[in-house]
Amino acid sequence: MEITLLGTGDTTGTPTVGCDCETCERSRDLGVERTRFSVHVRNERTGESLLIDASPDFRYQFLREGVDLPDAVLVSHVHFDHLDGLGNAYRLLDGVPVYAADETDPQTGESVVETIERKYSYLDAVDPRPATPFETIRTCGLDVTLVPVDHPPLVCYGVVIEDPETGATLSLSGDTSYDIPERSRDALADPDLFLADAIVPASLCEHHPIGGADHDDDGVPRTFGTKHMTREGALDLADELDADETRLVHLAHFYPVEEAFEEPLAVDGERYEL
Ligand SMILES: [Zn+2]
Ligand SMILES: [Zn+2]
Ligand SMILES: [Zn+2]
């Protein structure tokens, strides 16, 4: 598996349009960026590529990284920064299978795959395919499993991708609080590489209207608000999952500049071979 981090930012990205904060200015100075979330997984044995989430920055990311167009797409949830790049399939892809969860979201009254069917009904280039959480599907020669995580009020899914030939495993937390169900933790465990949502450091929870949650023994919040893990929460989860390597993703420009480009915070364009 060849993994390329196409987009490692949150929904506004870094730099953020119109923002002159120190972190955005530093990213411009360093020539690094964090566009909206997406991960490219290439199976070198079959020559096929699987795209995890369809970033609104799809076109730019594929041009910048020079990676192959996807043979299949997997969508974790229906937020703009993970879904709305799917329209790029028009005149580029031909009936690309787009896998997404088939359980009804009480908030929207439809499943993720049904939302995709509805929003992209006009686009023959997109072929939505239902996937049942915890049931492994084979696509691009890889075993792929969606696992429910916690991203209220919407359903959202983490992802486990395993190469059936080598056993190499990539786990993604998806957009989630620290409060991931036990069964999902078990499925995400022991990855060679773990990509974890770590939107801000725990120190910023005091600025959130409802603060932080899921505090550790020292009182450090592992969830920022209700929807995302803090850096500390993501690292605790990585420890618990016994990940060989962890990169923190879905990062906001709110990281203080002296922390924003430290390890193990990812930037766009990183590549991993599993
Ligand atoms: Zn900024
Ligand atoms: Zn989200
Ligand atoms: Zn997101």
Side-chain angles (χ1 to χ4, degrees):
M1 261 190 275
E2 295 169 1
I3 293 150
T4 305
L5 307 189
L6 294 177
T8 57
D10 72 340
T11 196
T12 69
T14 303
T16 288
V17 174
C19 185
D20 61 358
C21 79
E22 287 184 286
T23 298
C24 287
E25 292 292 10
R26 181 70 58 84
S27 86
R28 293 181 187 103
D29 291 346
L30 294 171
V32 299
E33 59 186 343
R34 293 178 173 135
T35 58
R36 273 70 67 85
F37 186 79
S38 188
V39 176
H40 187 274
V41 181
R42 183 169 181 276
N43 181 342
E44 59 273 74
R45 264 198 320 282
T46 66
E48 294 168 296
S49 296
L50 171 65
L51 187 69
I52 312 298
D53 284 337
S55 170
D57 296 309
F58 179 112
R59 175 179 179 277
Y60 172 64
Q61 292 171 342
F62 275 78
L63 290 173
R64 186 189 62 195
E65 299 304 329
V67 290
D68 294 344
L69 285 167
D71 298 283
V73 180
L74 184 73
V75 173
S76 64
H77 68 303
V78 301
H79 274 152
F80 159 79
D81 48 327
H82 302 258
L83 173 61
D84 283 20
L86 213 46
N88 285 283
Y90 183 58
R91 298 203 320 219
L92 282 185
L93 305 174
D94 185 15
V96 69
V98 178
Y99 296 93
D102 63 358
E103 349 175 86
T104 302
D105 185 337
Q107 184 69 22
T108 64
E110 56 189 14
S111 65
V112 176
V113 77
E114 286 168 339
T115 300
I116 295 169
E117 279 165 358
R118 179 174 53 74
K119 286 186 76 169
Y120 293 94
S121 61
Y122 67 95
L123 202 55
D124 290 341
V126 166
D127 180 13
R129 305 271 183 98
T132 302
F134 293 117
E135 287 185 12
T136 299
I137 52 173
R138 174 76 55 90
T139 182
C140 301
L142 300 168
D143 286 343
V144 178
T145 312
L146 290 170
V147 301
V149 291
D150 181 59
H151 193 48
L154 296 177
V155 294
C156 182
Y157 300 87
V159 188
V160 182
I161 301 173
E162 182 170 358
D163 183 330
E165 298 284 319
T166 66
T169 306
L170 166 68
S171 288
L172 297 91
S173 72
D175 282 16
T176 185
S177 80
Y178 184 76
D179 191 20
I180 296 174
E182 205 55 47
R183 187 177 173 201
S184 298
R185 288 173 183 249
D186 290 345
L188 292 165
D190 298 320
D192 295 296
L193 175 63
F194 181 45
L195 303 177
D197 171 8
I199 194 160
V200 294
S203 58
L204 296 192
C205 286
E206 60 183 278
H207 303 298
H208 192 286
I210 61 168
D214 301 314
H215 297 82
D216 68 12
D217 293 343
D218 298 323
V220 177
R222 292 182 283 206
T223 292
F224 176 68
T226 59
K227 289 184 171 64
H228 297 277
M229 288 187 285
T230 61
R231 173 183 57 198
E232 289 76 359
L235 292 173
D236 279 357
L237 180 63
D239 266 356
E240 188 193 323
L241 298 180
D242 204 18
D244 282 358
E245 182 163 19
T246 300
R247 302 304 290 167
L248 302 184
V249 296
H250 208 279
L251 305 168
H253 68 130
F254 301 119
Y255 269 90
V257 65
E258 63 277 9
E259 300 172 39
F261 303 100
E262 299 263 283
E263 295 295 313
L265 276 61
V267 295
D268 285 11
E270 294 181 12
R271 286 176 198 241
Y272 298 89
E273 182 78 44
L274 301 186

